[in-house]
């Protein structure tokens, strides 16, 4: 799976859990909290949905991602 495929999957997840979030200009450097308004509950839901969608598990104690690209990288790293 490529970083771009993970990115598209994350956009799909975010659209489902935050339908009013404008993702039209989102990119790898988009900040989750400041630019997309992701709060701690949304981050938890995003994490659980990503684990289910991509068939992986984020490691316990991993630092919280700052950008969309950080989430993509964490998904790819957890699949290895």
């Amino acid at each position: 799976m490529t970083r771009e495929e993970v990115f598209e999957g994350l956009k799909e997840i975010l659209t489902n859990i935050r339908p009013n979030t404008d993702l039209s200009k989102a990119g790898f450097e988009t900040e989750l909290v400041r630019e997309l308004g992701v709060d701690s509950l949304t981050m938890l839901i995003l994490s659980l949905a990503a684990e289910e969608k991509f068939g992986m598990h984020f490691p316990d104690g991993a630092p919280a991602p700052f950008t969309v690209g950080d989430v993509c990288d964490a998904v790819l790293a957890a699949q290895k």
Side-chain angles (χ1 to χ4, degrees):
M1 179 169 285
T2 68
R3 195 173 192 231
E4 290 74 23
E5 290 170 328
V6 174
F7 176 71
E8 290 303 317
L10 291 174
K11 284 187 2 183
E12 184 179 305
I13 292 168
L14 280 168
T15 298
N16 288 330
I17 61 177
R18 291 189 51 103
N20 296 327
T21 302
D22 180 14
L23 298 173
S24 62
K25 296 180 183 174
F28 292 115
E29 300 304 317
T30 302
E31 296 176 16
L32 295 166
V33 175
R34 190 175 62 84
E35 295 178 74
L36 296 181
V38 172
D39 59 17
S40 58
L41 179 59
T42 304
M43 184 63 74
L44 176 62
I45 295 168
L46 173 65
S47 297
L48 294 171
E51 287 180 344
E52 184 176 325
K53 181 172 188 70
F54 300 112
M56 43 71 69
H57 179 72
F58 291 109
D60 293 334
F66 184 69
T67 65
V68 174
D70 293 343
V71 179
C72 292
D73 294 340
V75 168
L76 292 171
Q79 288 184 329
K80 293 180 181 179

